[in-house]
Amino acid sequence: MKYNERIREIREDNSLTQQKVADLLHIGQRTYSDYESGKTRIPIDNILILAKFYNVSMDYITGASNVKTEYPKK
């Protein structure tokens, strides 16, 4: 699965709107929509924010793994 498909899936699983996630990332809804559609690549720092927020590994968010593991604790 590609990361843009994964971030949409996770957002929908958590019953969040694109606007709510865009607010979390301090970006416009249109920019976030472009991330999900694959028109614009999501910056690594935003992937990190989403991984922490959803409590999943960056490997899961990026599609490198299909195993939904928790975000690493310090």
Side-chain angles (χ1 to χ4, degrees):
M1 179 175 282
K2 296 179 182 179
Y3 79 87
N4 58 313
E5 296 167 350
R6 182 61 49 90
I7 62 173
R8 180 181 182 139
E9 175 188 88
I10 295 171
R11 177 182 60 79
E12 289 175 347
D13 287 349
N14 285 275
S15 302
L16 296 171
T17 64
Q18 287 184 343
Q19 185 63 58
K20 292 284 186 188
V21 178
D23 290 347
L24 170 74
L25 300 175
H26 305 290
I27 59 174
Q29 179 273 328
R30 184 72 172 150
T31 301
Y32 185 77
S33 175
D34 288 347
Y35 292 165
E36 284 192 358
S37 69
K39 290 181 185 175
T40 304
R41 289 187 181 200
I42 186 170
I44 191 75
D45 54 334
N46 284 349
I47 293 174
L48 181 60
I49 291 167
L50 292 178
K52 287 179 182 179
F53 178 73
Y54 292 126
N55 192 31
V56 295
S57 70
M58 288 181 63
D59 285 346
Y60 183 73
I61 290 239
T62 60
S65 171
N66 289 325
V67 179
K68 195 173 186 178
T69 58
E70 288 187 3
Y71 187 81
K73 308 280 189 258
K74 286 188 176 182

